[in-house]
Amino acid sequence: MSQNRGESKVISSNDKHVLRELGKRIAEIAALPVQQETVALWKALNGLRPERPMVTIDQVPWHEMDVDGELVLRAQDPFWRAVESQLRRTLYGWTHMRVDMVVDSWIDIPMKIDGAHLGIQAVEDRAVLDPNNDVVGHYYIDQLQTEDDLEKIRMPVVTLDEEATALREAQAHEIFDGILDVRMDGIVPMFAVWDRIVEWHGVEASLLDLVDRPAFIHKMMARITDAYLAMLDQLEAQGLLGRPQSLIHCTGAYTDELPAPGYDPACPRSKDVWTAGMAQIFASVSPRMHQAFDLDYANRWYERFGLVYYGCCEPLHAKLDIVRKIPNLRKISMSPWVDVEKGAERIGRDFVFSRKPSPAFLAVDAFDGDAVAADLAETLQACARHGTPVELILKDISTVRYEPQRLWRWADIAMRLVNDAAA
């Protein structure tokens, strides 16, 4: 969770020019009235009074997307090169696959925060098909075989690198003053601890130990949960928690409900922001085990936050009885593997049905727009029948077969359908 990049103490004239020009284009777009119109639509959805379904696209195979050099980076400093990439991707999205994105009139610059981790890293073998793609296969080596090994999971000691953060802030103002507001931003961590456990313990061992060594898993979860809560306490106490977000787990986070009364921008609290969580490996376990080995721990985290997004790729339509009891829950992930009708019926009007359409439609030999439309229409029609607030979140896109126009066409189809749904 820390941000570590080699950074120069003086920003070059080239880097400054490149970033200022991109910032000017962002500022022009941010000033358009449509931004506030789209924010209002997100607020309506997140307040469970939707005007229409909403659409976002995230987790894009950017190495396949360049057109006419739009994504070619020209800055040299590693930190500012990453910021340049963020700006270019924003402009690219606005030009080619806008859907319901919002371009804000500020730029968030991350503070340099150290120690926001549990002191253990994955040890793995990787399978790589496309060396330009960061989506790879993982085989994780088990590092947590005994109870003594649990000592490898350390309590975080969170600190702010004041000198590096001050340098970032000063350079950001030098670049963007008069163009975009500069906001120094902290961390809003998610509670995706089972994603971490399978990296440290392995997938097979994690699942077998739920049955064969439940006491061991409970000790592991207790230790990890305590560590996460200790990290959260430190982030809050030091003013290092992030501000209220524009996005939460790839979806629009705009809401009239956050921040909470008494908010101080200099020291955000967990109740001022969204969090997200998931237990993707629990796709294969029963609701009872899901409750005992994830939610009984995770709810200690969720109760601290203003609003909660739960789930990712795990199908949750058969577990909504336990999911809907999560404190402060507002959005529920409905992955490509859910029963859409059952999910919409059981969510009803109580939460947002956060649909994750299958990205496989982008990866087949020939893109089929009619198949995409039929897939999306199934979700929209089911949610309409049950009055269920719904968003379409296309993510986890590993490839578009080096044809970026496929994603542009998906965006056009999705927006046509959601606008028709509102007519």
Side-chain angles (χ1 to χ4, degrees), residues 280-390:
Q280 298 184 89
I281 195 176
F282 278 27
S284 58
V285 310
S286 69
R288 183 178 177 181
M289 292 183 77
H290 196 135
Q291 180 73 47
F293 292 101
D294 178 54
L295 293 180
D296 281 351
Y297 296 94
N299 286 343
R300 295 174 58 198
W301 178 268
Y302 301 137
E303 68 187 9
R304 297 272 299 267
F305 286 83
L307 292 170
V308 173
Y309 183 115
Y310 187 76
C312 192
C313 290
E314 66 275 37
L316 293 173
H317 65 274
K319 296 182 178 179
L320 290 171
D321 287 347
I322 62 170
V323 169
R324 62 170 38 246
K325 296 176 183 177
I326 292 172
N328 305 312
L329 180 66
R330 184 56 53 87
K331 296 191 181 191
I332 304 174
S333 177
M334 291 281 106
S335 79
W337 298 278
V338 301
D339 183 315
V340 170
E341 187 69 31
K342 289 181 180 178
E345 179 183 10
R346 294 171 183 175
I347 288 174
R349 301 175 186 272
D350 298 334
F351 308 98
V352 176
F353 185 113
S354 188
R355 174 61 165 164
K356 310 289 180 53
S358 174
F361 290 103
L362 284 300
V364 293
D365 289 341
F367 182 82
D368 186 342
D370 291 338
V372 168
D375 176 62
L376 299 180
E378 178 189 17
T379 295
L380 297 176
Q381 291 164 7
C383 290
R385 282 192 290 273
H386 299 285
T388 306
V390 59

Side-chain angles (χ1 to χ4, degrees), residues 73 249 267 279 309 321 359 406 409 415:
L73 302 180
H249 196 51
C267 197
Y309 183 115
D321 287 347
R406 294 183 177 202
R409 288 181 60 194
M415 291 308 294

